[in-house]
Amino acid sequence: MNPPDMTEGQSRFFELLNQVSWLAPYWDAPQRICHINRIEDAMGVWSQAEQHLAQFFVMVWFGQNRMNLNLVDAVAVLDHPSRMLIVHWVADPFWP
């Protein structure tokens, strides 16, 4: 459950993030914090697909392509549900 004082964009972000349970702990919803250093440290052991998905969420959170997400590379390795997360965001983008 999201805190009641979240913006609409923040609420939508955390709803989307909660669909990726392994990635959700890298954000603190009540504090509105992304633990970017923890993400960068963990990426070395993640699969390519996991790395791309994390890059996508970081991009949305910060409103910029901080981790150089390449969507062509991402869609080549992401599974259908993960690709659909991105497709739905592209169709109706928001920023926290």
Side-chain angles (χ1 to χ4, degrees):
M1 182 173 197
N2 294 332
D5 60 335
M6 277 192 177
T7 66
E8 179 185 350
Q10 290 167 342
S11 291
R12 290 180 69 188
F13 178 85
F14 286 108
E15 287 172 15
L16 191 66
L17 181 65
N18 286 335
Q19 296 178 49
V20 186
S21 60
W22 63 269
L23 191 55
Y26 293 93
W27 274 264
D28 182 331
Q31 297 297 315
R32 286 24 160 241
I33 295 171
C34 171
H35 299 288
I36 187 72
N37 292 336
R38 289 180 48 213
I39 293 170
E40 291 170 338
D41 290 344
M43 280 189 127
V45 298
W46 291 343
S47 71
Q48 269 192 307
E50 290 168 331
Q51 290 176 26
H52 289 304
L53 199 53
Q55 290 169 335
F56 167 74
F57 277 97
V58 167
M59 179 191 69
V60 172
W61 181 259
F62 288 104
Q64 61 183 356
N65 196 3
R66 257 180 101 132
M67 299 183 91
N68 300 316
L69 172 65
N70 182 316
L71 281 176
V72 172
D73 291 344
V75 297
V77 297
L78 289 172
D79 62 10
H80 182 70
S82 297
R83 283 193 314 269
M84 293 312 294
L85 285 174
I86 294 172
V87 166
H88 290 298
W89 181 84
V90 168
D92 186 19
F94 59 87
W95 289 267

PDB file of all heavy atoms in Angstrom, residues 1 23 27 55 59 62 68 70 73 83:
ATOM      1  N   MET A   1       0.840  -1.188   0.000  1.00  0.00           N
ATOM      2  CA  MET A   1       0.000   0.000   0.000  1.00  0.00           C
ATOM      3  C   MET A   1       0.882   1.248   0.000  1.00  0.00           C
ATOM      4  O   MET A   1       1.866   1.324   0.723  1.00  0.00           O
ATOM      5  CB  MET A   1      -0.910  -0.032   1.218  1.00  0.00           C
ATOM      6  CG  MET A   1      -1.851   1.117   1.286  1.00  0.00           C
ATOM      7  SD  MET A   1      -3.012   0.870   2.636  1.00  0.00           S
ATOM      8  CE  MET A   1      -4.216   2.026   2.181  1.00  0.00           C
ATOM      9  N   LEU A  23      12.800  -6.595  -7.820  1.00  0.00           N
ATOM     10  CA  LEU A  23      13.387  -5.269  -7.998  1.00  0.00           C
ATOM     11  C   LEU A  23      12.834  -4.250  -6.989  1.00  0.00           C
ATOM     12  O   LEU A  23      13.508  -3.278  -6.659  1.00  0.00           O
ATOM     13  CB  LEU A  23      13.136  -4.797  -9.432  1.00  0.00           C
ATOM     14  CG  LEU A  23      13.865  -3.572  -9.936  1.00  0.00           C
ATOM     15  CD1 LEU A  23      15.378  -3.698  -9.771  1.00  0.00           C
ATOM     16  CD2 LEU A  23      13.523  -3.318 -11.397  1.00  0.00           C
ATOM     17  N   TRP A  27      13.840   0.234  -3.971  1.00  0.00           N
ATOM     18  CA  TRP A  27      13.163   1.506  -3.766  1.00  0.00           C
ATOM     19  C   TRP A  27      12.522   1.503  -2.390  1.00  0.00           C
ATOM     20  O   TRP A  27      12.079   0.473  -1.907  1.00  0.00           O
ATOM     21  CB  TRP A  27      12.069   1.726  -4.810  1.00  0.00           C
ATOM     22  CG  TRP A  27      12.550   2.341  -6.068  1.00  0.00           C
ATOM     23  CD1 TRP A  27      12.506   3.668  -6.387  1.00  0.00           C
ATOM     24  CD2 TRP A  27      13.146   1.691  -7.196  1.00  0.00           C
ATOM     25  NE1 TRP A  27      13.041   3.869  -7.645  1.00  0.00           N
ATOM     26  CE2 TRP A  27      13.437   2.670  -8.160  1.00  0.00           C
ATOM     27  CE3 TRP A  27      13.459   0.372  -7.483  1.00  0.00           C
ATOM     28  CZ2 TRP A  27      14.021   2.383  -9.386  1.00  0.00           C
ATOM     29  CZ3 TRP A  27      14.043   0.073  -8.693  1.00  0.00           C
ATOM     30  CH2 TRP A  27      14.320   1.070  -9.632  1.00  0.00           C
ATOM     31  N   GLN A  55      17.243  -1.006 -15.548  1.00  0.00           N
ATOM     32  CA  GLN A  55      17.564   0.248 -16.230  1.00  0.00           C
ATOM     33  C   GLN A  55      16.288   1.004 -16.608  1.00  0.00           C
ATOM     34  O   GLN A  55      16.229   2.230 -16.511  1.00  0.00           O
ATOM     35  CB  GLN A  55      18.401  -0.025 -17.480  1.00  0.00           C
ATOM     36  CG  GLN A  55      19.801  -0.494 -17.179  1.00  0.00           C
ATOM     37  CD  GLN A  55      20.520  -1.000 -18.419  1.00  0.00           C
ATOM     38  OE1 GLN A  55      19.895  -1.427 -19.387  1.00  0.00           O
ATOM     39  NE2 GLN A  55      21.835  -0.956 -18.381  1.00  0.00           N
ATOM     40  N   MET A  59      15.311   4.657 -15.260  1.00  0.00           N
ATOM     41  CA  MET A  59      15.038   5.713 -16.230  1.00  0.00           C
ATOM     42  C   MET A  59      13.724   6.415 -15.910  1.00  0.00           C
ATOM     43  O   MET A  59      13.648   7.647 -15.889  1.00  0.00           O
ATOM     44  CB  MET A  59      14.984   5.141 -17.648  1.00  0.00           C
ATOM     45  CG  MET A  59      14.684   6.166 -18.717  1.00  0.00           C
ATOM     46  SD  MET A  59      14.309   5.431 -20.321  1.00  0.00           S
ATOM     47  CE  MET A  59      12.728   4.660 -19.984  1.00  0.00           C
ATOM     48  N   PHE A  62      14.034   8.526 -12.483  1.00  0.00           N
ATOM     49  CA  PHE A  62      14.809   9.765 -12.552  1.00  0.00           C
ATOM     50  C   PHE A  62      14.401  10.659 -13.726  1.00  0.00           C
ATOM     51  O   PHE A  62      14.879  11.789 -13.835  1.00  0.00           O
ATOM     52  CB  PHE A  62      16.307   9.460 -12.624  1.00  0.00           C
ATOM     53  CG  PHE A  62      16.861   8.952 -11.325  1.00  0.00           C
ATOM     54  CD1 PHE A  62      17.150   7.610 -11.150  1.00  0.00           C
ATOM     55  CD2 PHE A  62      17.076   9.813 -10.254  1.00  0.00           C
ATOM     56  CE1 PHE A  62      17.651   7.135  -9.944  1.00  0.00           C
ATOM     57  CE2 PHE A  62      17.570   9.354  -9.044  1.00  0.00           C
ATOM     58  CZ  PHE A  62      17.860   8.011  -8.890  1.00  0.00           C
ATOM     59  N   ASN A  68      21.764   4.339 -19.510  1.00  0.00           N
ATOM     60  CA  ASN A  68      21.914   4.054 -20.941  1.00  0.00           C
ATOM     61  C   ASN A  68      21.136   2.831 -21.405  1.00  0.00           C
ATOM     62  O   ASN A  68      21.665   1.955 -22.086  1.00  0.00           O
ATOM     63  CB  ASN A  68      23.399   3.918 -21.311  1.00  0.00           C
ATOM     64  CG  ASN A  68      24.158   5.184 -21.017  1.00  0.00           C
ATOM     65  OD1 ASN A  68      23.689   6.272 -21.325  1.00  0.00           O
ATOM     66  ND2 ASN A  68      25.307   5.058 -20.385  1.00  0.00           N
ATOM     67  N   ASN A  70      19.116   0.630 -23.666  1.00  0.00           N
ATOM     68  CA  ASN A  70      18.921   0.483 -25.099  1.00  0.00           C
ATOM     69  C   ASN A  70      17.679  -0.375 -25.281  1.00  0.00           C
ATOM     70  O   ASN A  70      17.704  -1.576 -25.007  1.00  0.00           O
ATOM     71  CB  ASN A  70      20.148  -0.178 -25.737  1.00  0.00           C
ATOM     72  CG  ASN A  70      20.007  -0.314 -27.232  1.00  0.00           C
ATOM     73  OD1 ASN A  70      18.964  -0.696 -27.747  1.00  0.00           O
ATOM     74  ND2 ASN A  70      21.083  -0.019 -27.938  1.00  0.00           N
ATOM     75  N   ASP A  73      17.964  -3.548 -27.510  1.00  0.00           N
ATOM     76  CA  ASP A  73      18.613  -4.656 -26.807  1.00  0.00           C
ATOM     77  C   ASP A  73      17.685  -5.241 -25.746  1.00  0.00           C
ATOM     78  O   ASP A  73      17.634  -6.463 -25.558  1.00  0.00           O
ATOM     79  CB  ASP A  73      19.915  -4.197 -26.143  1.00  0.00           C
ATOM     80  CG  ASP A  73      21.006  -3.860 -27.140  1.00  0.00           C
ATOM     81  OD1 ASP A  73      20.891  -4.251 -28.332  1.00  0.00           O
ATOM     82  OD2 ASP A  73      21.976  -3.189 -26.738  1.00  0.00           O
ATOM     83  N   ARG A  83       8.254  -7.028 -21.329  1.00  0.00           N
ATOM     84  CA  ARG A  83       8.096  -6.134 -22.481  1.00  0.00           C
ATOM     85  C   ARG A  83       6.784  -5.365 -22.381  1.00  0.00           C
ATOM     86  O   ARG A  83       6.722  -4.174 -22.701  1.00  0.00           O
ATOM     87  CB  ARG A  83       8.148  -6.914 -23.795  1.00  0.00           C
ATOM     88  CG  ARG A  83       9.538  -7.305 -24.208  1.00  0.00           C
ATOM     89  CD  ARG A  83       9.613  -7.799 -25.651  1.00  0.00           C
ATOM     90  NE  ARG A  83       8.590  -8.746 -26.025  1.00  0.00           N
ATOM     91  CZ  ARG A  83       8.705 -10.070 -25.916  1.00  0.00           C
ATOM     92  NH1 ARG A  83       9.818 -10.612 -25.443  1.00  0.00           N
ATOM     93  NH2 ARG A  83       7.720 -10.862 -26.291  1.00  0.00           N
TER      94      ARG A  83
END
